Amino acid sequence: DAKTTQPPSMDCAEGRAANLPCNHSTISGNEYVYWYRQIHSQGPQYIIHGLKNNETNEMASLIITEDRKSSTLILPHATLRDTAVYYCIVRVYTGNQFYFGTGTSLTVIP
Amino acid sequence: KAGVTQTPRYLIKTRGQQVTLSCSPISGHRSVSWYQQTPGQGLQFLFEYFSETQRNKGNFPGRFSGRQFSNSRSEMNVSTLELGDSALYLCASSIGTGATNEKLFFGSGTQLSVL
């Protein structure tokens, strides 16, 4: 069962930061938060993951609240190629069984 | 390093037939997982293989099966195809240590259409 809640859709102006929220209020202490994105009819692409601390890589930043009940994925300068469905996933470890949920459809507007 | 490779990219079958899909993981990855994606149900986990053994299984009927070879390549098979099996089938690989911070890397998928 998906353990995350995301808004179904969001728009963002090109060049601006895209902030995608995710609620995971039932997360347990050792469960990681992962973010993937999927461009139409392609496989999901890994973006970033974290446990407690904020994380940053070349693609994005992940901000996790202190109580770990929610997080925000930040794409600092959105481009048209960032238009995709973004999935926030709490990894419940039973092998590699990720529960993807319905994700947020992000549209970057020129 | 080559990514996860899935073949074929597109497949058309008729009801009642069977189909076999193939997945080659990233070199050095020993875990292969399979997912089904449909517009109605989204992405759903089918099963995971590690060291030629099924390690985990989702909630799918027995018509869906898989296997993994000694070189970590995997195949999944769907027998007695139904219209509802039309979907994008995705394969994902990972190192397979079992660590909870292990990343999955997905292939581009096989788009199966059942007529």
Side-chain angles (χ1 to χ4, degrees):
Chain A
D1 295 331
K3 296 179 62 175
T4 62
T5 303
Q6 299 177 254
S9 64
M10 293 181 64
D11 292 337
C12 177
E14 188 177 18
R16 302 296 294 270
N19 296 283
L20 291 87
C22 179
N23 186 297
H24 32 79
S25 58
T26 60
I27 193 169
S28 297
N30 61 348
E31 293 174 341
Y32 279 77
V33 178
Y34 284 74
W35 284 83
Y36 279 77
R37 72 181 182 185
Q38 187 176 27
I39 297 169
H40 183 63
S41 294
Q42 295 183 21
Q45 177 190 24
Y46 167 82
I47 302 173
I48 199 166
H49 73 284
L51 183 63
K52 296 179 183 177
N53 300 320
N54 298 337
E55 302 287 346
T56 296
N57 63 19
E58 65 279 4
M59 290 183 69
S61 295
L62 174 60
I63 308 297
I64 303 174
T65 58
E66 192 169 342
D67 62 8
R68 302 211 323 122
K69 293 186 176 182
S70 65
S71 61
T72 301
L73 178 74
I74 301 172
L75 307 178
H77 305 287
T79 71
L80 298 180
R81 287 178 293 182
D82 292 323
T83 292
V85 177
Y86 287 76
Y87 294 98
C88 169
I89 304 158
V90 170
R91 184 172 188 168
V92 178
Y93 187 69
T94 51
N96 280 329
Q97 186 170 356
F98 278 31
Y99 296 98
F100 274 81
T102 53
T104 295
S105 178
L106 175 70
T107 301
V108 180
I109 302 169
Chain B
K1 210 175 196 181
V4 179
T5 304
Q6 291 188 246
T7 56
R9 183 70 177 96
Y10 300 96
L11 206 48
I12 299 175
K13 292 286 186 179
T14 56
R15 279 183 298 174
Q17 288 187 308
Q18 75 161 10
V19 67
T20 299
L21 312 181
S22 180
C23 173
S24 293
I26 292 171
S27 177
H29 285 192
R30 297 173 61 195
S31 168
V32 173
S33 305
W34 289 89
Y35 287 77
Q36 181 198 64
Q37 186 172 28
T38 61
Q41 299 298 318
L43 274 151
Q44 293 186 289
F45 173 79
L46 281 156
F47 31 65
E48 179 200 6
Y49 285 86
F50 176 78
S51 291
E52 303 179 63
T53 302
Q54 189 179 87
R55 184 157 73 173
N56 197 16
K57 188 177 187 305
N59 188 26
F60 279 81
R63 299 185 299 107
F64 292 82
S65 63
R67 61 177 175 168
Q68 186 180 35
F69 302 95
S70 58
N71 61 358
S72 295
R73 190 177 70 86
S74 178
E75 291 180 346
M76 69 162 283
N77 183 277
V78 188
S79 62
T80 319
L81 283 166
E82 301 176 358
L83 294 178
D85 296 333
S86 294
L88 180 66
Y89 289 88
L90 292 157
C91 168
S93 78
S94 69
I95 294 173
T97 62
T100 53
N101 61 347
E102 191 170 284
K103 295 181 281 191
L104 288 190
F105 296 88
F106 284 83
S108 297
T110 293
Q111 183 67 55
L112 172 65
S113 297
V114 182
L115 307 178

